[in-house]
Amino acid sequence: MNVEDAPEGVEEPQILPLDAWHRARGGRMVPFAGYLMPVQYEGIMAEHLWTRESAGLFDVSHMGQLVFTHDGDIATVVRALESVLPGDVAGLGDGRMRYSLLLNEEGGILDDLMVTRRGSEIYMVVNGATKYDDIGHLLDALPDDVTMNLQDEQALLAVQGPKAVDALARLVPGVEALVFMTAGAFDWNGHALWISRSGYTGEDGFEVSIPAEAAAAFADALCAEPEVKPIGLGARDSLRLEAGLPLYGHDLDPETTPVMADLGFALSKRRREAADFAGAQRILAEREAGPAVKRVGLLVTGRQPVREGASVVAEDGAVIGRVTSGGFAPTLGAAIAMAYVPAELAAPGSGVRLVQRGKVHEATVAAMPFVPHRYVRASASPQTPSKAGA
């Protein structure tokens, strides 16, 4: 297997193609996933609510964009990827995408990712913090005759919110024909774009892969539309938490299985029946008997957020679980969290006790998403909720 441009031993924060663009617009830059990224512009609360009501522009160029090929033979690529992913890659039609997981041999999650069929190749987007580890794992696991290219010459921008389609369609006519989890090739001012109708906020929206040298001009054009404002990492995190979407390195890690994480939908029926993916024996046994712990949503009593790292405790004070994400939900006006709790406490309505810095907080297990998803599907209204997210 071959890979291009994967730097080794990267320690200093890398610079996004739009670094100067963010700074010129007042973006406060912070280290995240090995990059300097904007955490906010005018304020997390305002940016969160703007995205829910209109459209926000997110720079997600830190994500890894990988392309897999084999001399135009898509079948070989599919077989290779199905050796490391538990999803039905063979069943993807052209321009169709699917959420999947990179698993270790024990069934633990190494990363969560998106896979898209793009003609005779497979396009994959992996998390920024894990992309070089993912590349190393894939180099070891896939056959030498499959080529993997890291597209680090491409920026990746997400336009999210109920008015995203209005703004983007003025610049790129035809994107309105896409529906959730579909993608296609487009053109803007002579620059080739790859656009999917997907995202990480629970809102309708798009992700746009664009040559890095054109990204600033494209971002300018988007933000010239009245619906669009730049949005930072802070609001991205609160939006995804309201949408019940897990974040790798926080809610997902190599010790966590898809069943524990409530991501069973990423295990396709055909692959479950074949039991031919990494960690299949453990994962299928957990599906049958139920996991010992499970990822749940929590509504926290009061307005004070309970953050990652807080403990879930029994009545006698024994630690029985952990909070993995938490914060204030601007849309709900309430404190919410995700946590891993014993399976017997995972049903909605169950009361749990949390301890953060010695202070006890009461919480109730709640169904996720906390805020309904508004993905636009082929045969459903924009208000139809969905469990899957990117």
Side-chain angles (χ1 to χ4, degrees), residues 174-249:
V175 296
E176 66 278 4
L178 295 174
V179 294
F180 182 57
M181 301 296 272
T182 66
F186 296 87
D187 178 89
W188 178 76
N189 288 356
H191 299 287
L193 310 180
W194 180 256
I195 301 179
S196 64
R197 199 157 192 170
S198 62
Y200 195 56
T201 62
E203 293 291 338
D204 180 29
F206 302 82
E207 292 192 346
V208 182
S209 179
I210 181 171
E213 67 270 16
F218 189 68
D220 279 341
L222 277 169
C223 288
E225 300 297 328
E227 299 91 348
V228 183
K229 290 183 179 181
I231 308 295
L233 284 172
R236 183 172 182 258
D237 193 55
S238 57
L239 288 160
R240 70 93 189 169
L241 181 56
E242 288 187 345
L245 302 176
L247 179 63
Y248 194 84

Side-chain angles (χ1 to χ4, degrees), residues 79-124:
R79 285 193 299 271
L81 290 177
E82 286 198 347
S83 72
V84 294
L85 306 177
D88 182 8
V89 182
L92 284 175
D94 196 17
R96 300 285 176 169
M97 57 195 303
R98 181 161 289 147
Y99 177 86
S100 195
L101 303 164
L102 190 63
L103 303 175
N104 61 28
E105 290 303 315
E106 292 73 43
I109 301 172
L110 298 174
D111 201 5
D112 64 335
L113 49 89
M114 300 298 298
V115 181
T116 308
R117 167 77 179 271
R118 194 162 75 172
S120 62
E121 62 188 30
I122 295 291
Y123 171 72
M124 180 187 293

Side-chain angles (χ1 to χ4, degrees), residues 8-14 34:
E8 297 181 1
V10 176
E11 294 182 2
E12 291 297 318
Q14 298 183 73

Side-chain angles (χ1 to χ4, degrees), residues 34 47 65 138 145 166 280 284 293:
E47 293 169 29
Q65 300 182 66
L138 291 165
D145 58 352
D166 300 322
L284 295 176
V293 298

Side-chain angles (χ1 to χ4, degrees), residues 22-150:
H22 296 305
R23 295 175 188 277
R25 282 152 188 79
R28 183 160 69 86
M29 308 299 283
V30 299
F32 178 81
Y35 287 79
L36 289 176
M37 297 186 66
V39 67
Q40 65 181 55
Y41 297 84
E42 59 179 291
I44 293 172
M45 178 80 76
E47 293 169 29
H48 179 113
L49 295 174
W50 179 268
T51 304
R52 286 276 185 248
E53 297 163 3
S54 190
L57 175 63
F58 300 79
D59 185 357
V60 289
S61 300
H62 65 299
M63 305 287 277
Q65 300 182 66
L66 307 177
V67 174
F68 299 84
T69 57
H70 179 272
D71 297 329
D73 178 13
I74 187 69
T76 298
V77 176
V78 166
R79 285 193 299 271
L81 290 177
E82 286 198 347
S83 72
V84 294
L85 306 177
D88 182 8
V89 182
L92 284 175
D94 196 17
R96 300 285 176 169
M97 57 195 303
R98 181 161 289 147
Y99 177 86
S100 195
L101 303 164
L102 190 63
L103 303 175
N104 61 28
E105 290 303 315
E106 292 73 43
I109 301 172
L110 298 174
D111 201 5
D112 64 335
L113 49 89
M114 300 298 298
V115 181
T116 308
R117 167 77 179 271
R118 194 162 75 172
S120 62
E121 62 188 30
I122 295 291
Y123 171 72
M124 180 187 293
V125 178
V126 301
N127 281 295
T130 58
K131 65 183 176 184
Y132 297 120
D133 288 338
D134 290 354
I135 288 170
H137 183 82
L138 291 165
L139 282 169
D140 291 338
L142 300 186
D144 291 340
D145 58 352
V146 171
T147 298
M148 173 175 61
N149 288 329
L150 171 62

